Amino acid sequence: MTPMAINSFMVPLGTRAPEFSLPSIDGRKVSLSDFDGAPALLVIFLSNHCPYVRRIEAGLGSVITSYQERGLATVAISSNDIVNYPDDAAARLAEQAERAGFTFPYVIDETQQVAQAYRAACTPDFFLYDAERRLAYRGEFDAARPNNDLPADGTTLRAAIDRVLAGEPVPEPHIPSLGCGIKWKPGSDPF
C-alpha cells in the first residue's frame, strides 16, 4: 500500500537558495558555495524508504548523470527523522546511491533546519536554481507514480533543466511534486 501523498509547497519563483553546510554520506562537508559557478543547481529532498522516490530513483540517477557534463550541479538532501525511520540513515542512503547510480553529493540534514529553510514538504521535492541561485523551477520529476507504469524518465524536470541551462525562464504552471511527507522529528513539523 502506498502511503498518503503530500504535494510540494510551490515556493515562489525567484526565491534565493538558502545557505547550507551539511555532512555527506561519505563524511565530507557540502555547502551551497561548493556549487558556485555552475549555471544551474538542482536541490532534491530525497529519502531511501519512500515508494515515490523508489519509483523514480534509477531514472533520476540517469537524468542527472546526463546533465552533469552540461554544467548541472546537483545535491540530494535527506531530512527525515532517522530515529523513527532508520532506512534513511547514512548507511542506507549510501546503498540507495549505489543502487540508483547517484553521482552527486547526498547530504544529511539531521537538524531538519535546511528542509525548513527550503520549505521542503515531501520526498521527492525538487528545487532548480539558475546561475544566480534564484528558484527557476519547483515541481515534479515526471508523471511516474507508484500506482502507474509510466516511464520514470524525468520528462518534466528535463524540460525545466534545458530551459534554465539556456538562460530561459520555465513557464508556469509547474506541476507540484508528489511524495511521502518529510518525517519530522516529534514537535518540529514547521508547517
Side-chain angles (χ1 to χ4, degrees):
M1 184 170 129
T2 304
M4 187 178 89
I6 304 285
N7 280 319
S8 53
F9 284 125
M10 305 307 282
V11 172
L13 295 178
T15 300
R16 279 203 165 284
E19 295 288 336
F20 64 84
S21 183
L22 297 169
S24 70
I25 57 175
D26 65 6
R28 296 177 300 127
K29 273 279 196 214
V30 176
S31 302
L32 181 64
S33 62
D34 292 341
F35 306 104
D36 287 354
L41 171 65
L42 179 63
V43 177
I44 316 165
F45 288 83
L46 289 178
S47 70
N48 177 47
H49 80 276
C50 174
Y52 290 86
V53 174
R54 288 278 182 118
R55 173 73 169 83
I56 66 164
E57 66 186 7
L60 177 63
S62 177
V63 166
I64 300 307
T65 298
S66 72
Y67 278 96
Q68 284 174 325
E69 66 187 32
R70 291 182 51 197
L72 176 69
T74 303
V75 61
I77 301 174
S78 178
S79 298
N80 281 349
D81 172 12
I82 63 170
V83 171
N84 291 307
Y85 296 87
D87 278 349
D88 291 327
R92 299 303 303 273
L93 298 178
E95 292 171 7
Q96 177 189 27
E98 172 95 13
R99 176 179 72 237
F102 294 166
T103 56
F104 45 85
Y106 203 159
V107 300
I108 300 169
D109 176 23
E110 186 178 345
T111 67
Q112 301 183 316
Q113 291 175 344
V114 175
Q116 291 172 8
Y118 277 80
R119 291 193 41 94
C122 56
T123 59
D125 211 350
F126 298 90
F127 298 84
L128 179 61
Y129 295 89
D130 64 17
E132 284 77 45
R133 299 303 172 253
R134 296 218 178 261
L135 187 62
Y137 173 80
R138 71 288 192 247
E140 69 176 6
F141 179 66
D142 59 25
R145 305 287 186 266
N147 60 353
N148 69 34
D149 60 357
L150 296 172
D153 59 7
T155 302
T156 311
L157 181 62
R158 283 188 291 114
I161 294 168
D162 286 339
R163 293 190 74 102
V164 172
L165 288 174
E168 301 171 0
V170 182
E172 293 202 74
H174 299 176
I175 299 168
S177 190
L178 184 70
C180 304
I182 288 182
K183 307 308 184 220
W184 301 103
K185 294 178 179 180
S188 70
D189 184 340
F191 310 109

